[in-house]
Amino acid sequence: MAIKISGTTVIDNSRNGTNLGIVTATSFVGDGSGLTNLPPSGGTMTATASGSISNGAPVIIQNDGKVKSVAGCALTTGQSDIETFESGAVANNGFASVYDSGNKKVVIFYIDDDDSDKLKAVVGTVSGGSISFGTPAEVSSSGTLNDEFYQAAYDAASGKIVIAYRDRPSDQNRCVAKVGTVSGTSISFGSATVIESQDPEFINVGNAGDNKVVVCWSRGGDGRGIIGTISGTSISFGSQVTFESGTAREKWIIYDEDLGMPVVYYRDGDNYGVGKVIFVDGTTISFGDLFYINGNSVQSYNVSGVYHPPSKKHVVFIRHSSRLQCKAIHITGNQNHVALGDLVEISSNNMNKVRPVYNPDTENIVVPYFDSTDNMITIKEVSVDGTTVTALSGETDILRPQDHMAAVFDTSDSRTVISFADYNDSDKGKASVYSSESTPNLANFIGFSDAAYTDGNTATIQIVSSTDDAQSS
């Protein structure tokens, strides 16, 4: 034990003195503001951390006795801005979007109906709840089909965006990929690399770590996958592998940050929602055992999902009996053991596309989906605790969209950006900026974290009436 002033040790127990009697100070220097290495004032308690907890974070206690960083409930939500990124008509059946965290920009991909169905991209800057756009750039002059035939992913290691899409030069349908580079409010693309030349369908691309992406698509119904390696403005690919012999539709790739590997979810030939872990070894790809999202007797459509870092779970969304439902999925350390949560209903209305994103500020998942009963995009939020998903109260509606959309979370401005075609305004391409704020659940509040902890750590909590040593005021 040592007491320091301004980094210098002034009292320690290195001499192991005992029975010193009463020591009386005869003079004092300074005001004690430089004292360090002191224990926190007031009481403390220890408990198991549920998810990640930062130093000084407010903490609540859960029903299972574990402690969790306060994420609260989404109490205040709404649109702060809607702006036009394409003044001409855009195809109402195709959007993709990514967030470039290195440049702090949103990139939206869309099909320009007024320009020969060319695939284009535009860079958006979110600031103070508003969004502005640069000049759209052409990705493919030969055009493409809907958003089941193209998607994009951002690779943080290279700082690049990869777009994989079905190209149509001279009536030849190919699956190709390009690397995009953001500079200011512009984006440029390298040359196209051909992946598949035989009528690809249901194309998706996801992060695979270490300057790599995984592309999955269907050829003649079979599900296929391949690993791409980014180098500058180019991308090269290994050999493709068949992961589903039969039918693989509506693919969605989630990168598991805990395992460091992607997982592909899709709808099989029996219309069941299924998934497989993807193993990456250099440029070689292989797949784990098939698992069912909701059993092998329940049909599931519009499969999509997102990774939830605090719980280390995938939250996968499906349409079953026209209703939007979801469940949390945990893939454990052996990379093939899957634990499934209960299915939770988000909406009883008929729905189409759903594009969930993770909000790290609230630790909730923002869930935009097209409500085909009321013909609007509805935005709800869910919280995740272990494998339990809870639909939070309240919703925000966008009243003018077509039924396809894309969504991405801008971490620099803490906003979700949703892109869509506005059918009330000549199908112009527009983006809505959505925000949500959370408030602590004061009934379960117990104090502040004494340090930073990860899921499963034993956490020391400075309880109410204590003075937290991480507080600045």
Side-chain angles (χ1 to χ4, degrees), residues 151-153 202-208 213-217 224-227 243 250-256 261-266 276 278 285 287 303-307 314:
Q151 282 297 323
F202 302 106
I203 299 168
N204 207 300
V205 57
N207 190 275
V213 296
V214 55
V215 180
C216 293
W217 71 98
R224 295 173 179 258
I226 199 168
I227 298 298
F243 65 86
E250 299 172 351
K251 299 169 196 67
W252 201 263
I253 299 170
I254 298 177
Y255 184 71
D256 190 307
M261 57 182 55
V263 180
V264 60
Y265 295 89
Y266 58 98
K276 287 187 176 184
I278 300 173
I285 185 172
F287 293 82
V303 180
S304 63
V306 66
Y307 183 69
H314 307 180

Side-chain angles (χ1 to χ4, degrees), residues 53 57-60 68-73 361-363 438-441 445 447:
I53 304 176
V59 171
I60 59 173
K68 181 179 182 179
S69 179
V70 171
C73 301
D361 295 332
T362 64
E363 296 186 358
S438 61
T439 304
N441 182 352
F445 173 70

Side-chain angles (χ1 to χ4, degrees), residues 5 28-34:
I5 297 179
F28 298 89
V29 178
D31 58 7
S33 61

Side-chain angles (χ1 to χ4, degrees), residues 65-224:
K66 295 181 180 180
V67 291
K68 181 179 182 179
S69 179
V70 171
C73 301
L75 299 178
T76 306
T77 64
Q79 297 178 77
S80 54
D81 191 27
I82 296 181
E83 296 292 343
T84 300
F85 60 81
E86 176 56 66
S87 57
V90 303
N92 61 22
N93 61 351
F95 295 93
S97 60
V98 297
Y99 178 65
D100 184 329
S101 59
N103 291 289
K104 299 180 180 179
K105 302 292 182 183
V106 170
V107 180
I108 297 172
F109 295 87
Y110 64 98
I111 301 169
D112 191 339
D113 262 359
D114 281 354
D115 192 8
S116 304
D117 288 334
K118 292 177 180 178
L119 179 60
K120 295 184 177 181
V122 64
V123 176
T125 304
V126 182
S127 178
S130 297
I131 189 167
S132 58
F133 293 98
T135 302
E138 185 178 290
V139 181
S140 171
S141 60
S142 59
T144 190
L145 300 176
N146 58 39
D147 58 5
E148 292 177 343
F149 294 86
Y150 77 94
Q151 282 297 323
Y154 174 72
D155 175 61
S158 63
K160 302 293 184 179
I161 296 167
V162 175
I163 171 79
Y165 61 96
R166 177 164 158 169
D167 204 11
R168 300 186 295 176
S170 303
D171 296 324
Q172 178 188 8
N173 293 320
R174 313 178 303 177
C175 178
V176 303
K178 285 184 176 182
V179 176
T181 304
V182 172
S183 177
T185 59
S186 301
I187 186 169
S188 58
F189 294 90
S191 300
T193 301
V194 178
I195 302 172
E196 171 66 72
S197 57
Q198 299 185 33
D199 295 331
E201 298 180 297
F202 302 106
I203 299 168
N204 207 300
V205 57
N207 190 275
D210 193 26
N211 298 294
K212 298 183 187 303
V213 296
V214 55
V215 180
C216 293
W217 71 98
S218 295
R219 188 182 82 180
D222 290 351
R224 295 173 179 258

